[in-house]
Amino acid sequence: METQNDNRQTSVLRSLDWWTVGIYIALLIFGWISVCGASYTYGETDIFSLSTRSGMQIVWIGTSLTLGFILLMLDDRFYDTFAYVIYAVLLLLLFLTIFNPHEIKGSRSWIVLGPLRLQPAEFAKFATALAVAKLMSTYGFDMHKPKCFFAAMAIVLLPMLFIVGQRETGSALVYLAFFLMFYREGMPGSILFTGVAMVIYFVVGIKYEQVFLWDTPTSMGKFVVLLLVQLFASSMVYIYARNREQALRLLGICLGVTLLVLLFSEFVIPFDIVWVQLAISAVLIGFLVYEGLSTRIMHYLFIGLFSVGSIIFFYSADYVLNNVMEPHQRVRINVLLGLDDDLAGAGYNVHQSEIAIGSGGLRGKGFLNGTQTKLKFVPEQDTDFIFCTVGEEEGFLGSAGVLLLFLALILRLIYLSERQPFKFGRVYGYSVASIFLFHVFINVGMVLSLTPVIGIPLPFFSYGGSSLWGFTLLLFIFLRIDAGRNLVRT
């Protein structure tokens, strides 16, 4: 049975959040201007021709607006009712795409239908968001229950595995954004911290692996990573086991022994103190396991497991990087970490995009006046690297304006998510906000050489129908769910 409040007669369009729609349209307009600037070549007379990228982008924008309107006209219960069906259909499509005979730039992620090319991975994001929202809104779901948490993770990881099978690692990594939503819905912060710690281990350990500590044969990267493991473990004893004195004692012993061994290696007999660090870590882990078993406080065992996992992760990551990864993948990581410039190879795209952005100055060179982009120095400048066009033609002010628009969109999505009367809408809204945040952060970061070049589009800016339709689906489904928030179901 359904009842409504005083706004019962309010239509969907009147209850729609027009602020978000306005931001969406503004991003579409600025996105088209950027595609036009990135794809324009000297001598073109008609930027609206369908034979040009800018002309085709108008078609994608028009179809996206039509798609958005259709999504708004559907009953908001449709998305809840058929969430699992939509997810299953997209999963099947992702699986079949793995065996797709059409390979584009080394990836099998595209379905070619005559002149039309579609990328199912772009549409799987909204389907995954619907499915995980459906699961987490069911009666009895509790993020703190391992069974519930792993079920939610399975929904997210399945499309990731299929997309990796399509050789499209960048698109697969986008699904890590769902962990931000998990954290909002009660996932322990320790899991999020573990992910951040792994990134720190990898970056510090690999970047400084060949740098030696003072005059000793000790790798600074390995030394710092093992020291961080000990520091993190000691801190977690204080935070989770709530034993301040024990945490300080463990920290003092680890730092004291490390300092003594370091001084001995520096001034007496030089040797690789990483082995001593490993021994200290082993003793620390043994103590944590003993405390956990003797006191029956499970936090000690989890901290010990974290320490073991940290060490295994670092050494396995180092092995994978140097012995498993393909040379071109290894070069990309080395370029990102500053270990190799390779301006003629893996670092070429980023280097040219930095030149383009820097040449824009404060106010930019003006529409269609960018030299780096017009002379096609930046590869993929109208897709993955389109933000460099914004920087060159619109300058710092234009780039800042675009980033502020994205910030406004994400903050608005968070606001809308918090006002949802049902968990389904809140979970879906936070999933959408997390995906947009991940795309913007990684895409802009890789153009500025701050994040890995993983080839994901900038929402509403990068050329192409699949990404534009995918982001429109994500956004307008949530807008329709939000527009029906005044409907009270009993």
Side-chain angles (χ1 to χ4, degrees):
M1 180 176 179
E2 299 178 0
T3 62
Q4 292 181 328
N5 60 14
D6 294 337
N7 296 324
R8 182 173 183 175
Q9 302 302 322
T10 301
S11 68
V12 171
L13 295 181
R14 292 191 62 181
S15 59
L16 187 65
D17 186 69
W18 287 101
W19 285 105
T20 304
V21 175
I23 296 172
Y24 167 77
I25 293 175
L27 288 170
L28 287 180
I29 293 172
F30 285 118
W32 179 81
I33 292 173
S34 300
V35 169
C36 189
S39 59
Y40 176 81
T41 55
Y42 292 117
E44 282 185 352
T45 57
D46 188 2
I47 60 176
F48 300 102
S49 172
L50 295 182
S51 62
T52 64
R53 291 267 201 168
S54 55
M56 280 303 301
Q57 189 70 356
I58 293 178
V59 174
W60 304 136
I61 291 173
T63 53
S64 295
L65 291 171
T66 304
L67 176 62
F69 179 77
I70 294 173
L71 293 171
L72 293 177
M73 292 301 101
L74 293 175
D75 192 313
D76 63 304
R77 292 171 297 182
F78 172 85
Y79 305 113
D80 189 341
T81 304
F82 294 98
Y84 289 146
V85 176
I86 296 171
Y87 177 72
V89 170
L90 263 298
L91 268 187
L92 178 61
L93 193 58
L94 285 175
F95 178 74
L96 295 177
T97 308
I98 297 175
F99 308 100
N100 172 30
H102 301 283
E103 186 171 310
I104 300 175
K105 296 181 180 178
S107 170
R108 294 181 180 272
S109 62
W110 296 88
I111 294 178
V112 180
L113 303 172
L116 183 65
R117 297 189 304 181
L118 295 176
Q119 192 173 23
E122 293 296 333
F123 305 108
K125 286 179 280 194
F126 90 89
T128 304
L130 284 175
V132 79
K134 176 75 171 179
L135 173 70
M136 294 177 66
S137 62
T138 55
Y139 179 77
F141 182 92
D142 186 352
M143 184 63 77
H144 294 93
K145 295 179 181 178
K147 180 180 178 181
C148 295
F149 176 65
F150 286 117
M153 277 190 61
I155 288 179
V156 172
L157 293 179
L158 266 177
M160 282 186 69
L161 293 175
F162 291 157
I163 294 171
V164 169
Q166 300 169 6
R167 304 176 190 172
E168 190 64 35
T169 309
S171 297
L173 292 176
V174 172
Y175 289 77
L176 296 177
F178 283 96
F179 282 85
L180 296 176
M181 178 274 294
F182 287 160
Y183 178 68
R184 164 60 183 83
E185 294 300 320
M187 182 185 74
S190 57
I191 296 178
L192 200 61
F193 171 75
T194 300
V196 174
M198 298 306 174
V199 174
I200 294 174
Y201 296 153
F202 182 81
V203 173
V204 174
I206 301 301
K207 184 177 179 65
Y208 298 102
E209 183 179 15
Q210 301 302 323
V211 178
F212 295 100
L213 191 62
W214 293 348
D215 296 325
T216 69
T218 303
S219 166
M220 182 177 289
K222 294 179 179 178
F223 172 82
V224 172
V225 167
L226 292 172
L227 189 60
L228 283 174
V229 172
Q230 297 162 20
L231 294 177
F232 289 158
S234 302
S235 301
M236 292 168 78
V237 168
Y238 173 66
I239 295 172
Y240 295 107
R242 301 187 182 281
N243 194 327
R244 181 173 180 272
E245 292 183 2
Q246 191 177 66
L248 291 175
R249 188 161 55 249
L250 290 174
L251 184 61
I253 292 173
C254 291
L255 292 179
V257 174
T258 299
L259 179 60
L260 289 176
V261 172
L262 180 60
L263 293 174
F264 184 85
S265 178
E266 172 67 16
F267 298 107
V268 183
I269 301 176
F271 70 99
D272 188 355
I273 64 174
V274 166
W275 294 106
V276 178
Q277 285 288 81
L278 285 170
I280 295 173
S281 299
V283 172
L284 176 61
I285 293 169
F287 172 78
L288 292 170
V289 172
Y290 171 79
E291 281 291 292
L293 295 175
S294 61
T295 63
R296 297 186 181 278
I297 299 177
M298 296 302 295
H299 291 298
Y300 284 107
L301 295 178
F302 287 129
I303 297 170
L305 183 62
F306 167 83
S307 302
V308 172
S310 296
I311 296 172
I312 292 176
F313 169 81
F314 170 66
Y315 278 96
S316 61
D318 181 68
Y319 176 81
V320 169
L321 177 66
N322 293 299
N323 299 280
V324 177
M325 284 189 173
E326 297 293 333
H328 70 278
Q329 296 173 323
R330 193 158 52 245
V331 168
R332 282 188 177 183
I333 293 177
N334 289 337
V335 169
L336 175 66
L337 297 179
L339 300 175
D340 189 2
D341 291 332
D342 193 25
L343 299 184
Y348 178 80
N349 291 22
V350 174
H351 181 64
Q352 292 298 327
S353 69
E354 289 177 326
I355 293 175
I357 292 174
S359 66
L362 180 64
R363 298 183 178 180
K365 297 179 179 178
F367 181 55
L368 302 182
N369 290 325
T371 53
Q372 291 293 117
T373 50
K374 298 304 160 295
L375 296 176
K376 313 299 181 186
F377 281 112
V378 185
E380 311 296 340
Q381 62 186 21
D382 57 0
T383 52
D384 298 342
F385 283 83
I386 195 166
F387 191 73
C388 71
T389 303
V390 179
E392 184 177 31
E393 295 194 346
E394 308 303 328
F396 173 80
L397 295 178
S399 301
V402 168
L403 293 178
L404 287 175
L405 270 177
F406 278 118
L407 177 62
L409 175 64
I410 293 168
L411 291 178
R412 191 66 187 175
L413 290 174
I414 294 174
Y415 169 75
L416 297 182
S417 300
E418 287 294 335
R419 77 179 185 184
Q420 297 305 304
F422 303 110
K423 191 174 182 180
F424 176 82
R426 186 180 73 236
V427 171
Y428 182 81
Y430 268 101
S431 298
V432 174
S434 299
I435 291 170
F436 276 113
L437 177 63
F438 188 93
H439 268 274
V440 174
F441 179 78
I442 296 298
N443 183 276
V444 175
M446 73 182 190
V447 169
L448 298 175
S449 189
L450 299 176
T451 58
V453 180
I454 61 175
I456 62 174
L458 184 63
F460 312 122
F461 273 69
S462 296
Y463 172 81
S466 291
S467 66
L468 194 51
W469 292 346
F471 290 123
T472 298
L473 281 163
L474 272 169
L475 183 61
F476 275 80
I477 288 175
F478 180 51
L479 289 177
R480 179 61 187 91
I481 294 172
D482 176 68
R485 69 189 179 279
N486 293 323
L487 180 64
V488 179
R489 296 183 174 88
T490 58

